[in-house]
Amino acid sequence: MNFGENIQEWFSTQVGALFLVIIGAVAIYFLVKREFSKFVGFAVFAMVVGVFVFTPDSVKDLGAKLWSTVFGS
């Protein structure tokens, strides 16, 4: 039984749901106030944070592939 992995998976699921709710609320706020430039900036920031927090393995693999492409194996 992998107790630690189960807790990490549950916590990741809960934080992911909370993250999406917060992003949705802030996005709706910016759109209602018609602050489109702040909305776009926040959307880009949220996407970057989402990628780094929820899929760090993908970022690591992408960085390794980019490094090997630029500098060789």
Side-chain angles (χ1 to χ4, degrees):
M1 184 171 172
N2 297 331
F3 186 69
E5 290 180 12
N6 291 339
I7 288 177
Q8 191 248 347
E9 183 178 320
W10 177 84
F11 187 69
S12 176
T13 303
Q14 299 302 320
V15 169
L18 182 63
F19 182 71
L20 288 176
V21 168
I22 292 171
I23 286 175
V26 172
I28 290 171
Y29 172 77
F30 284 145
L31 289 174
V32 167
K33 298 288 276 182
R34 295 184 181 211
E35 296 177 352
F36 297 114
S37 61
K38 287 183 182 180
F39 168 73
V40 171
F42 177 74
V44 170
F45 173 74
M47 285 189 287
V48 169
V49 169
V51 167
F52 278 103
V53 170
F54 294 110
T55 57
D57 294 334
S58 300
V59 175
K60 183 183 75 166
D61 293 340
L62 180 65
K65 287 179 186 177
L66 182 64
W67 181 268
S68 67
T69 301
V70 172
F71 297 107
S73 297

